[in-house]
Amino acid sequence: TQLLEQSPQFLSIQEGENLTVYCNSSSVFSSLQWYRQEPGEGPVLLVTVVTGGEVKKLKRLTFQFGDARKDSSLHITAAQPGDTGLYLCAGVGGSNYKLTFGKGTLLTVNP
Amino acid sequence: EAQVTQNPRYLITVTGKKLTVTCSQNMNHEYMSWYRQDPGLGLRQIYYSMNVEVTDKGDVPEGYKVSRKEKRNFPLILESPSPNQTSLYFCASSFAPNTEAFFGQGTRLTVV
């Protein structure tokens, strides 16, 4: 089983602060996806990173895929209460067809 | 509207009483999967299906069955539910394992 470790597990910050969450593995992934899940809902895709070293921006969110395709980070600039949610990374690696999820980072942005 | 529909949303049942959670998608996706989500353990894949009549075990398949007789439907069957299967279940579909997965609204199952 290919594991994805996410850190921190919990993060509580004030509106306007910046933050970074991490997704790490000892395995190589062909691509990594980032999802956000709100209470009572299923996860929703934010972005997919495919190329080692790739950086993608989605408004105030910046996603980076490590050069070796074993890790990824999500940076949020000037966090807002609407960013509150569970952030999950997920990937498919090797020759299997399982989509593996990390345990997630639960972010709370206080007004 | 593109969507994955799960039913029921909430279910309370007793130990040993067979149940089925239905999942249907209208996006003509090849890949479908079931997950359970538990506090501290995250989303864990139960079973997945690459196409009609092709299913395989995920990371936590014990106590569950699935079938894929039609492309759009992927029911999850608990033949003899036990309390440790109390969880939040999600069905998801996508064109391929590494493309965007669309999730259903979830089914909160309690086995007493």
Side-chain angles (χ1 to χ4, degrees):
Chain A
T1 301
Q2 295 173 301
L3 296 176
L4 285 166
E5 302 283 345
Q6 288 191 244
S7 61
Q9 189 175 355
F10 301 98
L11 188 56
S12 180
I13 62 171
Q14 294 299 122
E15 183 175 0
E17 293 184 6
N18 302 330
L19 67 112
T20 302
V21 299
Y22 300 93
C23 175
N24 296 303
S25 176
S26 57
S27 304
V28 175
F29 287 86
S30 58
S31 63
L32 275 180
Q33 301 169 349
W34 284 93
Y35 290 81
R36 184 170 73 198
Q37 184 180 17
E38 299 188 14
E41 303 289 333
V44 176
L45 182 72
L46 294 172
V47 78
T48 301
V49 286
V50 178
T51 306
E54 181 177 6
V55 176
K56 280 192 174 178
K57 293 193 175 184
L58 190 65
K59 297 183 181 177
R60 295 176 292 100
L61 278 61
T62 301
F63 303 84
Q64 186 160 9
F65 201 12
D67 291 339
R69 292 186 288 127
K70 292 183 178 181
D71 56 85
S72 182
S73 63
L74 159 60
H75 181 80
I76 301 179
T77 303
Q80 299 177 0
D83 295 326
T84 293
L86 179 67
Y87 288 82
L88 297 157
C89 65
V92 176
S95 59
N96 68 62
Y97 300 101
K98 297 179 188 178
L99 180 62
T100 300
F101 279 82
K103 293 181 181 180
T105 293
L106 185 60
L107 171 66
T108 303
V109 182
N110 303 296
Chain B
E1 180 189 356
Q3 59 185 4
V4 177
T5 304
Q6 285 179 237
N7 280 297
R9 289 290 309 275
Y10 302 92
L11 180 59
I12 301 175
T13 190
V14 296
T15 299
K17 185 177 181 181
K18 181 179 178 180
L19 68 92
T20 299
V21 185
T22 63
C23 174
S24 181
Q25 52 96 2
N26 63 0
M27 293 167 280
N28 201 35
H29 285 161
E30 307 278 337
Y31 187 83
M32 296 186 74
S33 53
W34 276 102
Y35 297 87
R36 60 179 290 175
Q37 188 172 34
D38 302 287
L41 297 176
L43 271 167
R44 294 179 293 167
Q45 194 177 51
I46 303 170
Y47 268 95
Y48 64 92
S49 170
M50 294 294 293
N51 210 329
V52 175
E53 302 292 2
V54 181
T55 62
D56 208 347
K57 296 176 180 178
D59 294 316
V60 288
E62 294 77 21
Y64 304 94
K65 286 176 58 177
V66 293
S67 69
R68 188 93 180 271
K69 292 183 168 55
E70 304 167 280
K71 196 171 189 178
R72 63 183 291 126
N73 295 323
F74 191 44
L76 178 70
I77 303 156
L78 284 71
E79 295 269 4
S80 183
S82 62
N84 64 12
Q85 292 179 297
T86 292
S87 187
L88 178 59
Y89 291 86
F90 287 101
C91 177
S93 75
S94 59
F95 284 113
N98 59 351
T99 61
E100 179 178 6
F102 291 81
F103 284 80
Q105 293 271 59
T107 295
R108 186 165 292 282
L109 173 65
T110 301
V111 183
V112 298

